[in-house]
Amino acid sequence: MENFSEWFHNILEEAEIIDSRYPIKGMSVWLPNGFKIRKNILELLKKLLDKDHEEVLFPLLVPEDELAKEGIHVKGFEDEVYWVTHGGQKELNKKLAIRPTSETAMYPMFSLWVRSHIDLPMKFYQIVNTFRYETKHTRPLIRVREITTFKEAHTVHSTAKEADEQVKIAIGIYKEFFDLLGIPYLLSKRPVWDKFPGADYTMAFDTFLPDGKTLQIGTVHNLGQTFAKTFDITFETEDNAHEHVYQTCYGLSDRVIASVIGVHGDEKGLHLPPKIAPNQITIIPILFKKGSEEVIAKCEEIKLALELNGIRVNIDDRDIRPGKKFYQWELNGSPLRLELGPRDLKNNKAILVRRDNLEKIEIDLDSEYSEKINELFDDIYNNMKKTAWDKIKDSVIIIDNLKEVNNVIANGKVVSFSWCGEEECGKAIEEITDVDILGTQNENNEFSQNLNGKKCIHCENEAKYTGLMAKTY
Amino acid sequence: MENFSEWFHNILEEAEIIDSRYPIKGMSVWLPNGFKIRKNILELLKKLLDKDHEEVLFPLLVPEDELAKEGIHVKGFEDEVYWVTHGGQKELNKKLAIRPTSETAMYPMFSLWVRSHIDLPMKFYQIVNTFRYETKHTRPLIRVREITTFKEAHTVHSTAKEADEQVKIAIGIYKEFFDLLGIPYLLSKRPVWDKFPGADYTMAFDTFLPDGKTLQIGTVHNLGQTFAKTFDITFETEDNAHEHVYQTCYGLSDRVIASVIGVHGDEKGLHLPPKIAPNQITIIPILFKKGSEEVIAKCEEIKLALELNGIRVNIDDRDIRPGKKFYQWELNGSPLRLELGPRDLKNNKAILVRRDNLEKIEIDLDSEYSEKINELFDDIYNNMKKTAWDKIKDSVIIIDNLKEVNNVIANGKVVSFSWCGEEECGKAIEEITDVDILGTQNENNEFSQNLNGKKCIHCENEAKYTGLMAKTY
């Protein structure tokens, strides 16, 4: 992929995902095909969350005084908030903010809802649109002014330990979700100067796009008691004392959808994991003058049989060359195509072609072919996931000298370095290199270096963390 | 129901549907239980629309110049539009309207999308929040400033006849939807002075609430070519000519949910049709000191068996008196409850109690009781629907003299009258009576009078229509 940015722009248009010609910068229209992909992705997410979260829906608008209550928080958003000042021809008494995120909409209500320790924990989520007045260059799904798909979860706990535990649970849910989509990720604890405004600490997932930049695709925040104190959210303990609650929140956005497109796509176009593809298998009848009715009838029969097994199928029986259809459904990311012509019909066979590796597989139409196709879906998914993970693993380069940073970044890779973890030192590193620190690896995984005896790459004090640096979106 | 308004307010709170304490007038929070009801209702609706509509999602904000383009339309909304004037600390170059409805957001895009007659018809829908700066007294779900559940469909056609046909199709879809919810309706063609701003004509569904007022719950508009001309939506005909398209749009809102609550509810509380009840059956173990474990184990077994048959079940095994649980689940509208105590367990039987008529039915736990329960759901649904339809039919009173109107209205009924259909005459009737004309009956149904030889109740010219008048929300 020569130019990812151009590729991404084109694929959104050609695969009819988003129409970005809407007459407001940074706001776009979800087209039917894009909407279906979005819906399938959200269904996977909801299934994970519904196990122990309750779905709710809060208003879009937040009164100015509520938004202003939490000073650190509002400071982080004040340049990005859209303000509603008029209703009809009249100026409003009190300005209303369009939510940039919903802490200040939700927490005044939480202070009414939480009464006793027996009410806790509470775990809510909502999927809504949020708004940021972005002054930087916008890009559909990645940097937008209307985030159309903002999933935000908010939890309330009676102890600090439980909130800390919830951060780990949320990370587990997000890992499972990204795994279902085959999206690889780097999980970092964000540097203190880059955490969510008002949070004690922020854990963040970044994925890696083909242009060598990382894209933040999910964050989990431990809010401690900061907001509880601001919004006076207290509970009665078992001993009849009154204490402030502990809170977490965690969010995902349209960027998850951008990363599915960007991570799996290739020169042929979109490449969708079978779980979320609107058309999991596309049937293309190969038609000649003679016998085309029988071929189409057989295709319809196969479609019905597959649908009975819960597979999403479409038939493309338009009167155009098969080659053109192959091209188009590869571009649309349909994971499998089934070709069936008069000779196949005679032999009661069909040809399957995999989108991931173009392998052709003959299937016997007398056999339990739905099962075979579901197995192929699993295989395609595993292959897509592995390919994506291999790429991100190959892209993280360990360096020993700060001078190497810009070279690695220029090569479209991610830098792994040993670090003391101190704010002053981190900021100096960012200034020297002009590259962002994603954060520290706090889990023992393939991205954690063995730090035994290592020194911080900059200040040469003892190294306490594996740090990651990358060119970011 | 002595005071419907008070009852409605209380039930939203007690059944945990909506929290209206949010600090902006006319904007409320959907609580988990309410959200589930809303979701189940929307799923029924989506299933009907997905047959031949495509779901899309347009931005919330509309540039001022697009909103202003269609003069009649904007006139109808100018007093109700919320305006965004600032992004961060900066004043925007161009004011942005928060959509009061999406014609002016969608149609500039339609003008890019529609090219040729082969693209048509196009049928889209979206389910979004819209905003109206209501100056009247607000009421959750009925008169709000944030309509959280605005389903709007928009269709594009190549002929006037097809658009007219689409109006009938849309009416058919809405009838099916309201029927699924057991909500009775009056279907009227709105008077010309009360049609949608910019429409050729408006068909509207009104239901009847226990306080004797009608509530508009759905509208279908034939837009003709008005918007097509304003937004320059043209297509190439088969003869290579360029013509403006014909359009329809039709919408539903939170009011559907309000009507499910208001129409079916009673002194005991909420009463939900089984299709949309979050808890279709509530199992209440009757516990004594001895044998409670076995009873609960059996309840769990029944729950599993029912869930395998796609039934939504909950068990209330809290340590409180059964009577309190009965009271609470009747208030929550669970259509059936199952009681099981130690003696039932011994006989391998259980007691079902219907929410609609409190009838008790013994079931044999050795039998195919899931089937029996599904039959009961159908029976309950049919009973609820019939009760509601009987009520609305009894409420429409035919009058022969305009002087009777206020008496009928004061008795909490709807007026049926014979009418010439002329605007001048209709407006005079409204002025004399101070009661709204809902419109005319254009279908032959139980609400159409036999007009043979009848005269207009006011001007005494020939009566052409059955008109309806009511106190409206």
Side-chain angles (χ1 to χ4, degrees), chain A residues 19 22 61 81 85-86 88 113, chain B residues 19 22 61 81 83 85 88 113:
Chain A
D19 193 328
Y22 191 76
L61 300 177
V81 172
T85 57
H86 288 73
W113 296 352
Chain B
D19 194 328
Y22 191 76
L61 301 178
V81 172
W83 290 103
T85 57
W113 295 353

Side-chain angles (χ1 to χ4, degrees), chain B residues 141-159:
Chain B
L141 300 181
I142 289 180
R143 188 171 297 282
V144 294
R145 289 182 167 183
E146 177 176 21
I147 303 168
T148 60
T149 319
F150 192 66
K151 191 288 297 168
E152 49 181 331
H154 297 262
T155 70
V156 187
H157 306 273
S158 51
T159 65

